């Protein structure tokens, strides 16, 4: 009898972590829903950038944010927000986006077409390839890092 109790106890101990892991592993539909939540936050960020909504930018950009600039330097949250507030951006379209989620981090790979006002001239459009990183804090996705570079001519 004690052998049977021992076997049941070992089996329960071995199976419990497997069952727990299965409950934590998101289903394909759960992953797609989470990817959509990340893209929704990114869409909010783009709208805040275009409208120069400082309050929304402060809410959506993480305090530990790092902007990796094309010249090899980096800047933080405050520098990003101040730069955005000075931009003459008229619009932005994100395309070719894909999302990779690993735990509490999400990466978005995409192309952004930014349209800027150029006084006395036609609007200028800049096409950039980007990677944005999001972190999930207290159940909410926030932009943690961003790198953009000029897209090569197609």
């Amino acid at each position: 009898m004690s052998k049977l109790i021992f076997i049941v106890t070992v089996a329960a101990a071995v199976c419990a972590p497997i069952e727990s892991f299965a409950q934590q592993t998101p289903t394909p539909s759960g992953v797609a829903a989470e990817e959509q939540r990340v893209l929704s936050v990114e869409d909010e960020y783009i709208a805040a950038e275009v409208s120069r909504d400082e309050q929304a930018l402060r809410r959506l950009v993480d305090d530990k944010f790092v902007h990796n600039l094309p010249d090899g330097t980096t800047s933080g949250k405050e520098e990003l927000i101040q730069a955005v507030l000075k931009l003459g951006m008229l619009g932005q379209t994100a395309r070719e986006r894909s999302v990779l989620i690993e735990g509490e981090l999400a990466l978005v790979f995409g192309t952004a077409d930014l349209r800027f006002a150029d006084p006395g001239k036609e609007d200028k459009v800049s096409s950039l390839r980007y990677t944005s990183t999001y972190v999930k804090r207290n159940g909410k996705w926030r932009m943690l890092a961003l790198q953009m570079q000029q897209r090569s001519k197609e």
Side-chain angles (χ1 to χ4, degrees), residues 55-124:
Q55 185 177 2
L57 290 167
R58 291 193 182 284
R59 177 176 48 81
L60 296 166
V61 177
D62 194 76
D63 290 340
K64 293 183 178 182
F65 175 83
V66 176
H67 189 189
N68 194 16
L69 300 161
D71 67 2
T73 62
T74 59
S75 65
K77 176 178 180 174
E78 193 58 37
E79 294 89 353
L80 172 78
I81 291 171
Q82 293 310 312
V84 166
L85 295 176
K86 294 175 187 170
L87 285 176
M89 189 185 310
L90 300 174
Q92 182 177 158
T93 304
R95 59 188 172 93
E96 302 172 335
R97 294 192 294 182
S98 61
V99 180
L100 172 63
I101 296 176
E102 184 63 39
E104 303 296 305
L105 289 176
L107 294 114
V108 178
F109 307 97
T111 298
D113 299 315
L114 290 68
R115 197 173 83 241
F116 295 95
D118 197 354
K121 299 179 185 175
E122 263 189 60
D123 294 347
K124 180 181 175 185

Side-chain angles (χ1 to χ4, degrees), residues 8 10 12 20 34 37 51 57 67 101 150:
V8 170
V10 170
S20 173
E34 199 65 27
R37 282 190 277 282
S51 66
L57 290 167
H67 189 189
I101 296 176
Q150 193 68 39

Side-chain angles (χ1 to χ4, degrees), residues 27 47 118 140 145-146:
T27 63
D118 197 354
K140 298 193 185 279
L146 176 66

